[in-house]
Amino acid sequence: MLACDPIAFALPRRLRLRALQDALDGDLAIGVDESLPGERSLLDTFDGRLRAAGMSLELRVAGLSLQLIWQSMTAGAVSATHPTGTPPRFGTDLPVGPIREALMPILGPRALLPQVSLRGEQRRVSLLTPSGEPAAQIEIRKERLQRRRRAPLLASLRVLAEPGQEVRTAQLCERLVERLGLAPLPGGDKLSALNLGIPEPPVSSSKINLPLEPGMPAGTATRVILQTLLATLKANVPGVCGNLDSEFLHDFRVAVRRMRAALSQLRSALPSRACEHYRVELAWLGQISSPARDLDVYLLDFDHCKGALPTELQQPCEPLRPLLSESRDREYRLLGEVLRGERFERLTARLARFLGRPRKARASGRDPDRPIGEVARTCIWGLYLQALEEGEALSPDSPLDQFHELRKTCKKLRYLMEFFVPLFPQQEIVSLIGALKR
């Protein structure tokens, strides 16, 4: 293991090994010199959970060796490095140690996906003292961004000290700067520190933040709500079709339910026939995506449910796990075929055109010009009274369907309140939403 963090420099395009050897000034000699194909990727979840937590995770591949580098971007230093046998997909795939302990609570069920990748050549040069002892290693990288047209060549040089050779290595770095004109990379050569134009995570999760104001016409506000939810739904489709992780389908279904709630509760702001048509189509989406989501939930809760059983019954349950996994994969394939099909494409295209089209006076709903602040209060209060009525009618002997109806009413109430957070005192509305979630 190397004793300290490497020192990185931006490298001129044409730096020959001879110039590097001359800069050593006879104090150090070049030992092993090898070139390997190299690739490195910045890993994060689709919704950017590591970036939001101020962390980065880099996977480096050199030949047959793979290494994970976890960095706390706020601290500005490498927090841990660890070799790995295979690229991790989920937090449970991370090697046991500090990287896994730090990242698993942040990642949750989300998959690690390459956000940006570089591919090229990595040259490793070992430097020896006059007595033949290892003093340092120099790594020279020349690589290009993948999937980018005309990506420029990125070249860097890293100096890594062997244990006990830190002073000699620091002197070497000073000579390299002086004689070769190397410019230090302030953040190192980590992908998170390089200016690679990594895009912000898409708005794709179940969180919602809408630019609404109390005086906005209800018709306009309702279209903004539905346009935002449609964008979220569409952003999750590739992840659902690829069966990348369970959160894509979860967020897809939440967007569907929210859209249905908006079309139902805010129907006075839009043409009634259009509202009814799209409610039916969205109900279809909810129905066809239910089997895959049910199986996701069974697998996510499998260990917890198994642990609740008597010890002698836990191991006999294990054959159920691969059966559930196989069934889930089959349902995902079927769902993917639907989401790539004509009916879904037609639905999303027509809904997008409908929401983006200027409303016509004769087909715009009963009160599209009423301030959304008034509409929000009316709708929220009405659903609240409905929830109270349904709850008061329940008894311990009531059919389960009645409990389920109350739960659906409370979800619709919560969705409405989440739409209209900007219209009410922040602390109060967030507190009430939290109570409904519980």
Side-chain angles (χ1 to χ4, degrees), residues 11-12 102 116 122 147 163 190 200 237 242 253-254 276 294 302 325 344 346 354 385 419 437:
L11 191 64
V116 64
Q122 176 178 307
R147 299 179 181 178
K190 311 297 182 299
E200 288 292 328
V237 167
R253 284 173 54 81
V254 169
E276 184 58 30
D294 289 344
F302 191 90
S325 182
F344 179 75
R346 186 172 62 245
F354 166 70
L385 294 179
F419 295 157
K437 285 183 178 181

Side-chain angles (χ1 to χ4, degrees), residues 158-321:
R158 294 201 310 164
V159 182
L160 303 91
E162 294 286 355
Q165 298 290 334
E166 291 80 10
V167 174
R168 187 192 294 269
T169 302
Q171 294 171 347
L172 166 64
C173 290
E174 291 177 2
R175 287 203 299 273
L176 292 177
V177 172
E178 178 183 348
R179 299 187 180 186
L180 300 178
L182 301 184
L185 289 171
D189 69 338
K190 311 297 182 299
L191 290 179
S192 57
L194 300 178
N195 184 19
L196 301 176
I198 302 171
E200 288 292 328
V203 180
S204 59
S205 73
S206 57
K207 297 178 181 177
I208 187 168
N209 183 20
L210 297 165
L212 303 181
E213 297 179 357
M216 183 181 291
T220 302
T222 302
R223 290 174 188 271
V224 168
I225 292 170
L226 290 168
Q227 285 171 331
T228 302
L229 294 172
L230 179 60
T232 299
L233 182 148
K234 292 169 68 175
N236 281 284
V237 167
V240 175
C241 291
N243 193 7
L244 298 181
D245 68 42
S246 61
E247 289 298 286
F248 285 102
L249 182 54
H250 171 262
D251 292 344
F252 176 92
R253 284 173 54 81
V254 169
V256 169
R257 290 199 301 269
R258 281 178 167 158
M259 293 174 79
R260 291 176 65 190
L263 288 168
S264 172
Q265 302 304 312
L266 304 174
R267 57 187 178 275
S268 65
L270 295 174
S272 57
R273 288 181 60 185
C275 284
E276 184 58 30
H277 169 73
Y278 290 117
R279 282 175 61 195
V280 170
E281 288 293 281
L282 291 168
W284 164 70
L285 277 183
Q287 183 179 14
I288 63 168
S289 59
S290 285
R293 179 57 187 169
D294 289 344
L295 289 158
D296 268 341
V297 172
Y298 295 152
L299 284 164
L300 289 170
D301 289 346
F302 191 90
D303 288 330
H304 173 75
C305 294
K306 188 180 78 169
L309 294 172
T311 304
E312 64 272 15
L313 295 180
Q314 292 182 14
Q315 191 56 35
C317 285
E318 272 304 315
L320 183 59
R321 193 194 300 266

Side-chain angles (χ1 to χ4, degrees), residues 361-384:
R362 288 182 296 176
S364 57
R366 295 194 309 274
D367 49 5
D369 296 320
R370 187 181 173 194
I372 191 60
E374 295 179 13
V375 174
R377 285 178 166 81
T378 301
C379 292
I380 289 172
W381 184 248
L383 265 183
Y384 171 64

